[in-house]
Amino acid sequence: MSEQNIPWLISSSNPPDWFVQAVQGYAPNLPKVDRAAQLLWSRGIQDTEKLAGFLDPNLYQPGSPWEFGAEMDWAVKRLQQARVAGEMATIWGDFDADGVTSTAVLWDGLGQFFPRDRLSYYIPDRLTESHGLNCQGIDAIAQEGTKLIVTCDTGSTNLAEIEYTRQMGIDLIITDHHVLLAERPPVTAIINPRYLPAEHPLFHFSGVAVAYKLIEALYQAMPDVPQQPLEDLLDLVAIGLISDLVQLSGDCRYLAQVGIKQLQADFQKAPQSRRRPGVGRMLELCQRNGDRPTDISFGLGPRINAVSRIHGDASFCVELLTSRDLNRCLELAEAAELANTRRKALQKDVAADVAEKLSQLDLSTTEIIVLDDPQWHVGVLGLVAAEVAQTCDRPTILLSTEVNENQSLARGSARSVAEIDLYQLVKSQAQLLDRFGGHPFAAGLSLPVENIPLFTEAINQQLRSTDSAVKATPALQADLVVAVAELGKDLFRQLKLLEPCGISNRVPKLLIENCWFANAWNKNIKDFQGKKVRYIKTEVIIGDDSTDRGFNGVWWGHYKEEIPPGRCDAIVELDYNPYHKRYEVRLMAVRPSTESEMKIPQMSILDWRGKHNISQENQSLIILTECPASWDDLQQSWRQARGGGQERQQPVAIAYPEPQAIAPQEVWQKLLGIAKYLSRTGKTANRKQLQTKLGLGSAAVNLGLEALKDLGFTIITHDAASLQITWHPVPEAIESSVAINQFFAAVQEEQFRRQYFCKVSISTIQAQLVNSEW
């Protein structure tokens, strides 16, 4: 089902005045907090106690590591024993962002208690080993003398490998957050929040938060040993939590809040003074500041994940996150950046293939989407599966079926939607699988290629037989209805009160109704080396009847041709772009407007915009044919057309054509050509002629003439209107001066304003013309 056919729902409600005032108390510097209060109330934050802990982490009481009970006590005692005995301990991590940050937390944290020659880490290769413990890796670390393995973000269900470690004489402490088996595995300790009640504030921990709690317990058990403060680990915890898309409530939200503050504080230091120079360099490469959760979810997280997606081995990411060697960190950060560039290109290719296969699938009879292809890169399947699941509102499993002499297994990723427990669905077909693991929203799996048809049929039948089956029409949800005039700094600061956002506290979705788009422009993404990436985005200016100024927007992964013609409804997210230093929206969905066609108002103003062959000889009408760039222009045209003796009641036809959106660079080249021609021929021109030739108003033309001076042009005014232009080229001049950029901005702004007056409703025009005094 396409986004244009999916119903859109509004999920907000209005809070009482006392609640708005309570929210205002936590944001005294904001002029108003009505929108933030509306969102908080709608999301169940409806009393002062909850509100305090939600908005101010200093007022939240985090849980104790000892709430994990005897398992934490056993884990701490075994680590103390290993430390005293000088045993070799190995951290067994995972290759995604949560697993890598978990490994880094244990590497830094346990490093306060173990000498470096008694501590190591092992991260499986994503492309050859997959998630979890494996006997090959256990053999490798056993040969290095390991007597104790501490897992992070993995291990809860690896019964065969757990038994193998026991046979090898290696003790095992599991820290994990994935789904548990019915019986406790035979390990020294297993610290997993899924043993806690579902309402417990630690229940939604990701792997990195569990690892952090183990280190916190060690700090409390041996307070005189560590040389570095425990809080130094919080930035890593925030990166892992937000990257893993866990429910950011309770202690998860608290740890993310304090971790982001630490991340920002470290980034603000000079590179050589940063505690984590690798993290700082990654933020620089993705042009972010470290003060927003989106700096992690769209910046750091994808880059950490990209390393294993492209190379398989993510081991160097731990060094990237923990090393203090500035030059080494710069090298590793750039390697991660290039991996992310490659990931984007692969993701785009796989997404195109998946879209083609989806077009041949009958979604009306499909409960869970299962697709496979031998050419798909297994490292990006989870990302594309998440996109498909969101678009089609169905759980999605994508499999790579590449067969070689070593294996005939399909490997892939699964992503869920709504309340459908994907892990249990996959588990129900365990007899058809080779391996699987994960949690209710995401899973990884492998199975014999020949089992795919039976697996597809069986898992669809299983979902049909449950109460959670996808039978209702999918819907897109928006949180607030806003106008373009509301977008900007004040609204952004209100919405920022809800950060960090995630599952159960999602990024606010804003619905803008009856809007339009101007200056749509496709751009290929470039990497930090300036090379184009096969990944597209569309930049737009969005407008509506609430203001005559447009607002910048970007639609990732879409072409401008996908924007419906005419009036639209759009669901967007409001963001701040630190690179361009501006507020902008990210388009999430666009559809043709559901509002009725423009109505002819009671006042006789006719909407003839876009019509052809309009006769100028109809004396009973005032016909306006020149598209204005401001309300003053429109009113001036109206006054001139009416003349001194015509009645205001005489009908008016707004009949100007839709203006062409020409790239500012093209307009500049046209102006440059005119200037060179006038200089070469000695002819003159007046400003009105330049305005007509360029399709611009006087202000933009004046800026263009000023910009010409930077290239060696001289403009001489002979009388009130006539201009003579001469040129003496400046050898070192470049066409990127401040004046030229100001001209580009003026052209873009004027083009938007003309688009605005081409699309603004007749009722708005009527109000302006009737109520204006002239």
Side-chain angles (χ1 to χ4, degrees), residues 6 147 207 235 257 288 310 324 331 385 471-472 477 488 511 582 588 666 678 690 743 760-761:
I6 295 175
K147 294 300 181 183
D235 50 357
Q257 284 174 308
R288 294 180 180 272
I310 300 305
R324 299 292 295 269
E331 175 188 345
K471 302 191 184 296
Q477 282 202 334
L511 172 60
R582 72 186 187 195
M588 310 305 294
E666 293 182 32
L678 294 176
L690 290 178
F743 173 69
V760 67
S761 68

Side-chain angles (χ1 to χ4, degrees), residues 662 664-696 700-701 704-705 708 711 713-715 721-727 735 743:
I662 303 174
Q665 293 83 353
E666 293 182 32
V667 181
W668 168 249
Q669 291 299 323
K670 191 172 184 178
L671 174 59
L672 198 57
I674 293 171
K676 290 179 179 178
Y677 171 78
L678 294 176
S679 174
R680 185 174 64 253
T681 62
K683 295 183 177 181
T684 62
N686 59 48
R687 294 177 189 271
K688 187 64 177 176
Q689 288 173 321
L690 290 178
Q691 292 173 32
T692 302
K693 279 282 188 182
L694 299 174
L696 297 175
V701 168
L705 293 174
L708 288 173
L711 302 184
F713 288 92
T714 301
I715 293 91
S722 181
L723 301 175
Q724 183 178 0
I725 298 178
T726 59
W727 185 32
E735 293 190 28
F743 173 69

Side-chain angles (χ1 to χ4, degrees), residues 1-9 354-355 357-366 369 387-394 396 470-476 558 562 588-591:
M1 180 179 291
S2 71
E3 287 179 353
Q4 294 185 14
N5 295 326
I6 295 175
W8 293 10
L9 304 177
V354 169
K357 290 179 181 288
L358 277 173
S359 67
Q360 304 170 25
L361 194 65
D362 183 0
L363 289 182
S364 66
T365 61
T366 303
I369 296 168
E387 293 176 355
V388 174
Q390 183 177 20
T391 301
C392 299
D393 201 47
R394 280 156 173 73
T396 300
V470 183
K471 302 191 184 296
T473 303
L476 294 174
H558 291 268
E562 297 178 61
M588 310 305 294
V590 180
R591 69 179 183 188

Side-chain angles (χ1 to χ4, degrees), residues 464-574:
R464 288 189 192 99
S465 67
T466 68
D467 293 336
S468 301
V470 183
K471 302 191 184 296
T473 303
L476 294 174
Q477 282 202 334
D479 300 291
L480 298 171
V481 180
V482 302
V484 172
E486 290 184 76
L487 301 175
K489 181 179 179 179
D490 287 346
L491 180 59
F492 174 82
R493 292 175 67 195
Q494 284 199 61
L495 302 185
K496 199 171 186 294
L497 292 174
L498 278 78
E499 293 183 350
C501 297
I503 295 174
S504 82
N505 179 41
R506 64 180 187 173
V507 176
K509 301 290 191 295
L510 312 177
L511 172 60
I512 305 174
E513 296 177 310
N514 206 30
C515 61
W516 63 81
F517 299 95
N519 295 3
W521 194 256
N522 289 137
K523 291 186 69 174
N524 275 98
I525 311 304
K526 293 183 179 180
D527 63 22
F528 75 100
Q529 296 177 330
K531 298 177 181 178
K532 286 187 177 180
V533 182
R534 286 180 295 157
Y535 196 75
I536 198 72
K537 70 175 180 179
T538 295
E539 294 185 351
V540 300
I541 303 293
I542 186 171
D544 69 3
D545 293 333
S546 68
T547 177
D548 60 358
R549 296 188 64 86
F551 198 81
N552 290 287
V554 60
W555 202 8
W556 289 94
H558 291 268
Y559 292 91
K560 63 181 181 181
E561 290 77 14
E562 297 178 61
I563 297 175
R567 296 273 181 149
C568 297
D569 298 331
I571 292 178
V572 305
E573 295 176 357
L574 181 60

